[in-house]
Amino acid sequence: DGSDVMFRGSCLPLLVVFSICTVVSYCQAADPLTSWLSAASRKRPNVLFLIADDLRPKLFSYGEDNMVTPNLDFLASKSVRFDQAFAQVALCSPSRTSFLTGRRPETTRVFDLHTYWRSVAGNFTTMPQYFKQHGYFSQNVGKIFHAGHDATPHTDFPYSWSVKPQLGHDPFAGPNFHKSSIQPVDESQHPPLQDTQNADFAVQFLNNRSNSHDAQPFFLAVGFHKPHLPWIFPKQYLDLYPMNKIKLAAHRDRPPQMPDLAWSDSGELHAFNDVKALNITHPGGRIPDSYQYNLRQAYSAATSYMDAQVGRVLDALNRNGFADNTIVSFLGDHGWQLGDNGEWCKHTNFDIALRIPMMLYVPNVTSVGHNFRFIDALASDFDPSSQVQHFG
């Protein structure tokens, strides 16, 4: 745990998972890793591939003491945690296309949110496609690829997936999408949020696989939308982050003599009506510190909501008897700026826009025991000090 592994490039998840699953037939040595791989060659391991959108390494297990992310922290405690992992590009589609094909953006020719690499670059084999071609049932839940205008509406189906993906429905999509960057909701008064829907589907998928006793191994990819804008989450998660505990970025001004070419005007955030109402000179004006507190609080709350959905999926993995034969990978697609150097969102080459959390769990190799369980940070008996026990 806590391995300081430096890899500035997003083909690392592909290489790690591919390496584990393709060498299982050739391992005969007696050390823990190769012993496990030798056993796995007789029963091919499943893969649970988890992605979060716009997630910087803002987790308790990455040294963020004010964050409440117990499920990802528990996974990190049982995983190899990569402390210096970076995306290729600080934008969804180029980054995801890169690590899902194992190729650089210069090769995929994807630099925007619309281009489909199979149309402009080549018929590259993707990670889920590779598993599918080697006998795995490949299931997409949520946002894995970024669907562009030229891409299939089902994000690389049927090439990468055994069945049409479950993408979920955003109940807040539509003309009011940009009414506010911060939208805490009462979930009892609305349809389930999109990440809740997709976690529900992943849990049911695991329940069904267990009940059917299907021996075919699976590659289950689950992509969570939060903490991507807008920050829509159950309002109770704000209670985890009292405003007097919120800290602003240490350096909140644009670096002097920074070239314009390296600067982003944070247009993604400034498109929301609550930010427009601040009447900031744009581009170039700084969001008032008084409102930065609100923005950072909402990002943290959305992250904790996403953490809970990860916990539900890991709990189902364990309850259904898959945790002892499933490799679990978690990563963000790129980082995110929260007022650091005067920047918001991604779209720059600053470290914080490219650095991602990444962890890899291999049962009985990265840890002994696999008792994943859902940890409810909203429960009255939740003890935040339990995080400290693992990482303090």
Side-chain angles (χ1 to χ4, degrees):
D1 170 57
S3 302
D4 187 13
V5 179
M6 174 69 175
F7 192 95
R8 190 175 283 271
S10 56
C11 57
L12 180 58
L14 181 71
L15 295 175
V16 171
V17 178
F18 271 22
S19 298
I20 290 175
C21 290
T22 55
V23 302
V24 293
S25 299
Y26 305 99
C27 298
Q28 299 178 356
D31 63 87
L33 175 60
T34 51
S35 295
W36 181 87
L37 292 172
S38 181
S41 67
R42 297 186 293 274
K43 183 182 180 183
R44 289 182 296 172
N46 305 304
V47 178
L48 176 59
F49 189 74
L50 305 169
I51 306 177
D53 205 346
D54 285 9
L55 180 66
R56 63 196 267 169
K58 192 171 176 61
L59 306 171
F60 187 91
S61 47
Y62 276 82
E64 297 277 351
D65 293 347
N66 67 323
M67 289 301 296
V68 183
T69 50
N71 295 285
L72 283 170
D73 298 333
F74 189 75
L75 176 62
S77 73
K78 294 181 171 295
S79 302
V80 174
R81 190 189 69 225
F82 295 84
D83 289 345
Q84 295 292 326
F86 292 83
Q88 295 274 24
V89 180
L91 188 62
C92 295
S93 190
S95 174
R96 289 168 183 256
T97 300
S98 179
F99 67 67
L100 287 165
T101 63
R103 288 169 170 80
R104 297 178 183 275
E106 291 88 345
T107 302
T108 67
R109 297 171 64 184
V110 176
F111 298 99
D112 56 29
L113 299 179
H114 312 295
T115 303
Y116 183 39
W117 81 92
R118 293 192 193 274
S119 300
V120 301
N123 198 29
F124 304 135
T125 299
T126 70
M127 187 194 312
Q129 183 180 358
Y130 179 90
F131 281 97
K132 179 186 171 187
Q133 291 173 344
H134 287 78
Y136 278 65
F137 186 89
S138 181
Q139 173 72 63
N140 177 168
V141 183
K143 183 179 178 181
I144 303 302
F145 292 96
H146 187 99
H149 295 311
D150 296 331
T152 165
H154 296 291
T155 58
D156 208 44
F157 173 78
Y159 300 102
S160 290
W161 312 110
S162 301
V163 293
K164 286 186 178 181
Q166 159 67 23
L167 303 180
H169 168 70
D170 183 357
F172 292 87
N176 293 323
F177 182 80
H178 284 102
K179 71 175 184 179
S180 178
S181 63
I182 305 169
Q183 300 183 45
V185 300
D186 182 349
E187 251 193 321
S188 68
Q189 303 299 315
H190 296 278
L193 300 180
Q194 193 167 15
D195 280 349
T196 302
Q197 297 170 39
N198 289 329
D200 288 345
F201 187 93
V203 168
Q204 191 59 53
F205 173 89
L206 293 166
N207 292 343
N208 292 343
R209 298 290 293 187
S210 177
N211 293 335
S212 68
H213 304 289
D214 192 336
Q216 182 184 16
F218 60 79
F219 179 93
L220 174 59
V222 185
F224 297 101
H225 288 267
K226 297 308 163 202
H228 193 288
L229 283 167
W231 295 311
I232 302 173
F233 51 84
K235 61 182 181 180
Q236 306 95 299
Y237 285 95
L238 284 175
D239 296 338
L240 300 176
Y241 300 98
M243 200 62 78
N244 62 357
K245 300 292 186 181
I246 302 298
K247 299 177 182 178
L248 300 185
H251 304 285
R252 299 189 292 283
D253 292 311
R254 175 173 172 164
Q257 301 181 337
M258 180 178 180
D260 290 340
L261 183 64
W263 181 257
S264 170
D265 63 6
S266 308
E268 183 180 10
L269 179 62
H270 285 269
F272 287 89
N273 293 342
D274 60 321
V275 178
K276 288 181 179 179
L278 298 172
N279 294 317
I280 302 165
T281 302
H282 183 69
R286 193 176 105 178
I287 293 177
D289 286 358
S290 59
Y291 204 66
Q292 290 194 34
Y293 283 102
N294 298 75
L295 297 173
R296 291 178 72 96
Q297 180 195 42
Y299 182 92
S300 298
T303 299
S304 290
Y305 162 62
M306 177 274 298
D307 174 83
Q309 307 319 304
V310 170
R312 294 176 57 217
V313 176
L314 291 175
D315 181 78
L317 189 78
N318 188 66
R319 284 188 294 100
N320 286 290
F322 294 122
D324 64 344
N325 191 46
T326 300
I327 298 165
V328 181
S329 174
F330 175 86
L331 72 158
D333 60 352
H334 46 67
W336 219 81
Q337 297 156 138
L338 288 164
D340 311 86
N341 301 303
E343 291 277 19
W344 293 84
C345 311
K346 50 261 190 185
H347 312 118
T348 75
N349 283 330
F350 278 114
D351 181 285
I352 198 62
L354 291 165
R355 185 169 171 239
I356 61 172
M358 179 180 169
M359 54 194 78
L360 182 73
Y361 161 78
V362 182
N364 299 318
V365 175
T366 59
S367 71
V368 177
H370 39 264
N371 56 330
F372 293 117
R373 58 185 175 83
F374 172 58
I375 306 172
D376 186 0
L378 299 177
S380 58
D381 60 350
F382 172 70
D383 180 9
S385 67
S386 63
Q387 299 182 114
V388 180
Q389 293 173 14
H390 288 299
F391 298 102

